[in-house]
Amino acid sequence: MIYLIILGTMSGLCEGAGVLPDGPLNAPVGGTVMFTTTLTPSDGPFTVVFWKFGIKDIIRYDPTASIPHPDYEGRITFFPSTASLELRDLTLDDGGEYAVNIIPGFLQGDTRLDIYEPVSSATVTPPSLDLVEFNSSARLSCSSSGSVTSYVWMNGSSEVTASDRVHLTDGGSNLTVVNVSRYDQGSYRCRVFNPVSDVISDPVIISVSFGPENVKMTVSPSQNLYKEGSDISLTCSAESRPPSLQFFWFLDGEQLSDTGPELRLMNIQTTQSGNYSCQAFHSKTMRYETSQPSSITVLQKISGPHVTPSDLTIEGNPVNLICDASGSPTARKWMKDGSDLIPNDNIALSDNNRVLSFNTVNRENNGDYLCTISNPVSSSEAKYRMDVMYGPENVRITGKDNVTVSEPIKLICSANSTPSATFTWMLNGTVIPANSPEFSKENAELSDGGIYTCEALNYITDRRSSATFELFVHAGSIQPSGLSAGGIAGIAIVCLIITAAAAGGGYYFYRRKSNLNTDAHPMNNTENKENLYEEISAVYENVKAH
């Protein structure tokens, strides 16, 4: 019988392959394992069945008896119909090689049973809390009780896999992330496995400090130019973790005393113009970053506009009109008499339209000039009335030229002049007390007759011009009816000429008759001729006066 069994066993090494499923079988400590054969009740009945653990018998079965090993009393159940075996209350010592031999058929099978303690209480040791991007490494360690066979690390819902920066060591229980970046931060958990159990640790948060970066400065209101006295707000922002940053402000590269994410410029002045920038500092990363500068240009409001001539506007002279104002002028525009001023051969603009130049001013340049001074934040106008100074010219005297004694005298002197001329009066070359355009006298005297001269003077142009007027004053009682004083004087002169001619003619005939030497006669003497003319003139003046 024993021989047959041995022979059957040896034969079953080949023929019985597959009676038990491929192993190993896994079971927890304290658990139950079922060694289920591939046989069915139709394959029986079985004469003899041996179950062994290593070299140790577990149970021997035949139709007359079922004899378990004492170590397995109460822990096993044998199923004769399929030759299967259930093992309960497993311990670590139950792990090993199991085999079954079945007669008839010389069937045999073997498998392996692995016993595991269930894993529990997975714990992750957290890394340093001060992780700085690109400067720090994060090291996590996972520990657990039980029979651990593998570790899996999770960041959120994603599995962490090894790479050039991510290292898994000690069977995966240790996770090291070298030169952490912001993308490595998150909630890390460790999942611990064995074939019969698994457990997940509580999450550990990895926070990576980074920044500052993308430092930006915004200006409100946003514009290129600002009016003096405006209020401007500058705000600095940056990306970082944690978001707590320190901010510093700079003007043209010089640090200001102001700190914080906002710089308020109240009632800003032109002296505050320049390039502003802000700098962010992270106390954990110990890094600085500065924003791009923003230019702030402050302009004064245009005030006090005025147009000033460079010299007196005297006709024929060169003159500049200068347009200026307080503030920050950036543009000027000229108009004349409501129309845009157009330069020509005599008129030119220079110095960014600040100076309007006349080569020579003339009366055609008279008019109302308007200079508009502006900058992008304000504008103002200055007016100038140009009156070109000239003269005097066209001086003339009007009035009655023939009056009798006791009649009023009224002579008016006029002249074209800007500004108005002043007047000086003379009678027969002697200045008389009158300095207005009008010379008047209530009662004429004979001595008021004569040649009147009016001299006009323009004190600005320093030019003079004069006119003469002859006034006749006569006594009304001896004046022939219908004859003027000029007529009477003319009659007297004619009489004198006739008398002189008669005397001269008589003397001429007398000399020829007496045949005297011509040079000895008194009328041929130059001095005697002059005396005669003086006498005739005296007679004329006497007649004229009476």
Side-chain angles (χ1 to χ4, degrees), residues 27 94 96 111-112 121 159 179 188 197 232 266 269 274 288 315 337 346 358 404 435 458 497 504 536:
D94 292 326
T111 189
R112 178 176 177 79
S121 303
E159 182 177 348
N179 295 328
Y188 283 77
S197 64
I232 304 174
M266 311 299 290
Q269 302 299 303
Y288 293 85
E315 189 170 44
D337 297 329
N346 188 46
F358 297 84
T404 59
N435 56 9
N458 186 328
I497 293 172
I536 293 172

Side-chain angles (χ1 to χ4, degrees), residues 324-340:
D324 266 328
S326 299
S328 306
T330 58
R332 293 172 176 85
K333 180 182 178 182
W334 288 88
M335 300 182 73
K336 180 180 183 291
D337 297 329
S339 300
D340 290 343

Side-chain angles (χ1 to χ4, degrees), residues 290-303:
T290 304
S291 70
Q292 289 294 319
S294 292
S295 177
I296 292 179
T297 302
V298 183
L299 299 177
Q300 287 183 328
K301 180 181 178 181
I302 302 297
S303 63

